[in-house]
Amino acid sequence: MPLTAAEIYAGLVRATETRPSAEPSPSQSERWSPGASRFREDPFREKNETLDGVLSFIEPDDVVLDVGGGAGRYLPLALKCRRLVNVEPSAGMGAQFEAAVKDAKIANAEWLHSDWLGAQIEGEVCFTANVVYYIADIVPFVEKLTTAARRRVMVIMHSIPPTNIGANLHRLVYGREPALAPSHRELLPVLWDMGLLPDVRVLGPSDFIVERARFAGREEAIQSALPAQLETSQLEFARENVERHFDEIFMESDGRYRRRPAPSRVLLITWETKTPAK
Ligand SMILES: C[S@@+](CC[C@H](N)C(=O)[O-])C[C@H]1O[C@@H](n2cnc3c(N)ncnc32)[C@H](O)[C@@H]1O
């Protein structure tokens, strides 16, 4: 029997959990808490194609659930809706979110410390950005998004998932192909099998942590590419490879170095749920 779309999806997620670069950890909290501050972004930042696209679906009276909202990169939603609830299992991410809310003096945003499947909450809109790549059991996760949303579900994925951006580097460091996280290509068949017919909007260029990082010099850039947990012989192999292929991975930008940008775009996958009462 051929695998279902959901089984294919689960297989991809599980493979990424066991790849050498994945941080092995038993819980979402431990997995995401280190480095959670990197996920913060100014809620009052200038609007761009991505924020405009997302905000166009939000209405002033909406309660918006930001599922796995992390440190609040999508806090600008709170500036357009009645209430925003970040349903987030990671304690580190939640703490960063609360700090971001306090610093920005945003009064209508709060953190609900919970995994999505365990959360007892509903809203007009269920929004989730850069989370579904990590959800092996995707069908119940999506079912709950649909039942908890009184009007609309919005799923943000990047056309190249952030964890796949480093695939070329992974080959150089480990000398083998990385397991690739699922993208929209794998999620959409799951949604179609569930009887959903979402709209897919291509928004702005992806601008996430890896894309934004800048390094003062070549050595700092090389160090950023070498995982801390490598053994000495592996480290020598990796370093030699990264140095040899430096110009394929990095480029100069304003006197500093950055990763060469991948042609990744932000995708908004969205569908309506129940017809709102008149
Ligand atoms: C890559 S971060 C994205 C954070 C934020 N949405 C953003 O775009 O910056 C993935 C987030 O998903 C959260 N997450 C993972 N599994 C989850 C689940 N089952 N329920 C809710 N959140 C989850 C993690 O704790 C983490 O904060």
Side-chain angles (χ1 to χ4, degrees):
M1 280 259 287
L3 294 176
T4 64
E7 286 165 345
I8 293 170
Y9 196 94
L12 291 173
V13 175
R14 296 213 167 97
T16 62
E17 286 166 354
T18 53
R19 76 180 181 192
S21 60
E23 291 152 40
S25 85
S27 73
Q28 286 301 331
S29 188
E30 283 172 52
R31 174 169 183 181
W32 293 101
S33 286
S37 61
R38 296 178 307 153
F39 286 83
R40 272 180 76 167
E41 232 181 298
D42 178 8
F44 302 111
R45 63 191 176 274
E46 216 175 290
K47 299 275 185 312
N48 56 28
E49 213 179 330
T50 297
L51 277 185
D52 285 343
V54 166
L55 290 170
S56 69
F57 288 98
I58 305 297
E59 294 175 12
D61 242 5
D62 284 345
V63 172
V64 177
L65 310 184
D66 186 357
V67 176
R73 281 195 324 118
Y74 281 94
L75 260 177
L77 292 173
L79 308 178
K80 208 184 160 189
C81 70
R82 180 154 58 92
R83 180 175 164 228
L84 180 125
V85 183
N86 177 9
V87 184
E88 171 56 63
S90 160
M93 285 289 205
Q96 289 295 332
F97 177 83
E98 290 197 320
V101 167
K102 193 166 166 232
D103 289 353
K105 298 188 172 56
I106 294 175
N108 63 336
E110 72 210 72
W111 171 35
L112 175 63
H113 190 182
S114 175
D115 171 81
W116 177 231
L117 292 190
Q120 306 284 321
I121 192 163
E122 286 192 358
E124 273 64 43
V125 176
C126 282
F127 173 89
T128 188
N130 292 308
V131 176
V132 289
Y133 322 114
Y134 311 103
I135 308 296
D137 205 2
I138 191 68
V139 171
F141 193 92
V142 171
E143 274 171 355
K144 181 150 180 175
L145 292 173
T146 303
T147 51
R150 289 190 280 268
R151 193 177 79 249
R152 177 173 291 281
V153 176
M154 299 168 76
V155 177
I156 292 281
M157 290 185 99
H158 292 188
S159 62
I160 304 178
T163 32
N164 296 354
I165 295 267
N168 58 346
L169 194 54
H170 189 287
R171 288 182 200 104
L172 295 175
V173 168
Y174 295 100
R176 58 174 177 271
E177 282 301 307
L180 295 179
S183 71
H184 59 291
R185 293 164 199 246
E186 287 81 26
L187 182 69
L188 286 169
V190 174
L191 302 181
W192 294 328
D193 280 357
M194 293 174 72
L196 297 165
L197 275 180
D199 287 315
V200 180
R201 295 213 177 171
V202 181
L203 303 178
S206 147
D207 178 25
F208 215 5
I209 293 162
V210 171
E211 287 114 331
R212 265 190 259 135
R214 297 289 183 273
F215 310 103
R218 280 177 79 93
E219 181 55 28
E220 197 179 308
I222 292 169
Q223 285 299 334
S224 78
L226 302 174
Q229 75 274 20
L230 288 185
E231 286 168 16
T232 316
S233 62
Q234 251 188 320
L235 190 62
E236 279 167 17
F237 166 87
R239 188 178 175 98
E240 210 178 293
N241 257 344
V242 171
E243 279 178 356
R244 190 165 341 116
H245 294 270
F246 187 89
D247 293 333
E248 288 163 37
I249 311 166
F250 297 103
M251 58 185 275
E252 268 193 86
S253 164
D254 299 331
R256 301 202 290 168
Y257 288 95
R258 57 168 298 183
R259 289 266 195 102
R260 283 194 182 278
S264 180
R265 296 286 292 266
V266 179
L267 303 179
L268 172 61
I269 300 170
T270 181
W271 62 95
E272 282 183 323
T273 57
K274 303 147 209 165
T275 315
K278 293 241 164 77

